[in-house]
Each structure stands twice: as structure tokens, then as C-alpha cells.
């Protein structure tokens, strides 16, 4: 597999449903929710860099009410339910949601999970949450009005003293070379401005993946012969993994993705 190219036209619910039907049930499901259709070793690297960056914020008390927005196959929903969270996962794609439910059952945590098919821009979960988690979701909401509405709906679902943790592609400087019809690497300040405008205060920010090699390679990958592409991808994975694992969280300025830890403005509960 050399990945699946982005379509000429992005219709979000069709696109994500198609992606889910192709890959959500396969193995770990990471080819549906990380880098689309890419090999397992590459997506495992992405998963681990994300996990290490999120880990300090996923340490929850039993009974914590958690909302996992754009939950995909439910990798964070199940993890948080295993830690005692009472989890609502929501996603645009019915097949992602069915797969998240199936995986929660396999892990024995289905009784602490419920899953909803919804558009984040019109989120209505019917309750407030102590923790809202979103991993690589906003970067795929390209319409500015829908993006703003998505962040506002999350703000409206955060309980007093609650925390929101978002991991998104958000380079510190302008970097458009990986943008596609389905993905936007917005400059970090764009998110920070939006969070402020929608009533959030930034409590912490950390990095994820400062190694630059994958963003150098990805725009050229599909133009390479398959064997060469795979060798380059393996090389990038080998070079990036130790850098991202050791320095990912701390090299904030150099990181391609960022973890934003947010609370409602005026909420003095420590994050
Ligand atoms: C890159 S995947 C990440 C999935 C999951 N957060 C994870 O980390 O495994 C993005 C997910 O966001 C969902 N998504 C995209 N746009 C959405 C929207 N407007 N409302 C709800 N979910 C959306 C997709 O269906 C997909 O499952």
C-alpha cells in the first residue's frame, strides 16, 4: 500500500464513510483513522507519537464523563473507558461508529460507552462532559463556518471545570505543502485565535512530532515507484521514531501537530 490519494472533491460524510468501509475493520483500523491506506508500520509510528503526546492528559478518575469527538474506530474512546471513563464517542461515519462499538465490545468496555452518528458542527450529545477529546478531526473540517460551529458546540458541551484536549496538525509557521482537498495544516495561531473567540483559554500546549521527514516525503510519495516509495517510508519511520518519541512533547515550536489543552475562560479549575 502506498496510501490512497485525496479525491478531487471533498464531501465529508461520503469520504469518511468510504474510508471506514475500506479500512476500519482491518487489523488495528489505523489505516482508516491515521494516514489513509498507509502501511501498518507507518501508522503505528503515528499512533505512538500521538499516544505519548496525549498521555499526560488521559489520566482520568473513574466516572469521568468523556466525549470523544470524531472518534473513528474508537481507539481513544476504548482506552478512556478502560480507565473508568463513561464515554460518548461521536463521528460522522456510521461505519466508523459501528466499528468503534464492536471494538469496545471486544475490549469488554461497551457498557461504559455509547456511540453516536453526528456532525460535530451540529453536535448535540444531550449532556455536559468533564473531558472532551478530539484527535485529528478539526484539520479535516475545511469550511470555516463549520469549523467555528464545531468548536462552539464543543464549548457548549464542556461542564464547569472541564477540560478539552485537541491534537491537530498545527505547524507554528505557514506550511501548506501537505494540504489536500481533505486536509488543512492550519497555522497554529489560527486555532489559538478561534479558541479564544469561542470562549476558551489555553492552559497548556505540547508538541507531538518534531521530526520533519514525513512531511518532506508525503507530498512526493505517490509519484515514486512502489518499491522506492516503501523504502523511503521505512527510512522516514526509522529516522522519525526516536526523535518523536524522545522529544515530541517538548519540541513544541518544531512539531507539525500540537496538543491544545483548553478550559472555558474564567474557569479557575487547574488543568
Ligand atoms: C483522522 S480520523 C481520526 C479518528 C480518531 N479521532 C482517532 O484519532 O483515531 C478523523 C475522524 O473524524 C471524523 N470526522 C470528520 N469530520 C467530522 C465531522 N464534521 N463531524 C464528526 N466527525 C467527523 C471522521 O469520520 C474520522 O473518523
Amino acid at each position: 500500500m502506498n496510501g490512497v490519494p485525496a479525491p478531487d472533491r471533498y464531501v465529508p460524510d461520503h469520504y469518511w464513510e468510504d474510508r471506514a468501509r475500506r479500512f476500519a475493520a482491518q487489523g488495528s483500523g489505523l489505516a482508516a483513522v491515521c494516514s489513509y491506506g498507509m502501511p501498518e508500520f507507518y501508522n503505528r509510528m503515528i499512533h505512538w507519537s500521538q499516544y505519548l503526546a496525549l498521555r499526560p492528559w488521559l489520566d482520568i478518575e473513574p466516572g469521568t464523563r468523556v466525549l470523544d469527538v470524531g472518534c473513528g474506530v474508537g481507539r481513544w474512546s476504548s482506552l478512556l473507558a478502560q480507565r473508568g471513563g463513561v464515554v460518548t464517542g461521536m463521528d460522522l461515519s456510521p461505519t466508523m461508529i459501528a466499528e468503534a462499538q464492536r471494538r469496545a465490545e471486544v475490549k469488554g468496555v461497551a457498557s461504559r460507552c455509547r456511540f453516536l452518528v453526528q456532525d460535530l458542527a451540529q453536535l448535540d450529545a444531550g449532556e455536559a462532559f468533564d473531558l472532551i477529546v478530539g484527535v485529528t478531526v478539526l484539520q479535516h473540517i475545511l469550511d470555516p463556518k463549520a469549523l467555528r460551529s464545531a468548536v462552539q458546540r464543543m464549548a457548549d458541551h464542556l461542564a464547569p471545570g472541564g477540560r478539552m484536549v485537541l491534537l491537530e496538525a498545527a505547524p507554528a509557521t505557514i506550511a501548506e505543502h501537505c494540504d489536500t482537498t481533505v486536509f488543512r495544516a492550519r497555522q497554529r495561531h489560527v486555532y489559538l485565535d478561534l479558541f479564544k473567540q469561542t470562549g476558551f483559554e489555553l492552559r497548556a500546549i505540547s508538541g507531538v512530532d518534531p521530526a520533519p521527514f514525513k512531511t518532506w516525503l508525503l507530498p512526493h510519495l505517490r509519484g515514486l515507484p512502489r518499491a522506492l516509495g516503501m523504502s523511503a517510508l521505512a527510512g522516514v519511520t526509522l529516522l522519525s521514531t526516536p526523535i518523536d518519541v524522545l522529544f515530541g512533547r517538548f519540541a513544541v515550536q518544531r512539531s507539525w501537530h500540537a496538543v491544545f489543552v483548553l478550559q472555558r475562560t474564567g474557569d479557575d479549575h487547574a488543568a
Side-chain angles (χ1 to χ4, degrees), residues 10 12-13 15-17 19-20 29-30 32-35 47 50 54 68-76 90-93 96 118-122 133-141 146 150:
Y10 180 35
D13 47 350
Y15 172 78
W16 288 104
E17 184 55 14
R19 209 165 139 154
L30 292 177
V33 294
C34 288
S35 209
H47 173 76
Q50 292 176 344
L54 290 166
D68 181 7
V69 300
C71 65
V73 300
R75 57 191 171 126
W76 310 111
M90 58 77 61
D91 199 283
L92 200 53
S93 152
M96 292 284 193
Q118 283 191 8
D119 186 331
L120 186 53
Q122 280 116 45
V133 175
V135 179
T136 60
V137 180
L138 300 183
Q139 64 190 35
H140 297 290
I141 300 182

Side-chain angles (χ1 to χ4, degrees), residues 250-267:
F250 313 104
V252 186
Q253 279 303 106
R254 291 192 166 273
S255 183
W256 178 253
H257 290 83
V259 175
F260 301 100
V261 180
L262 302 143
Q263 285 190 285
R264 299 298 307 269
T265 304
D267 240 338

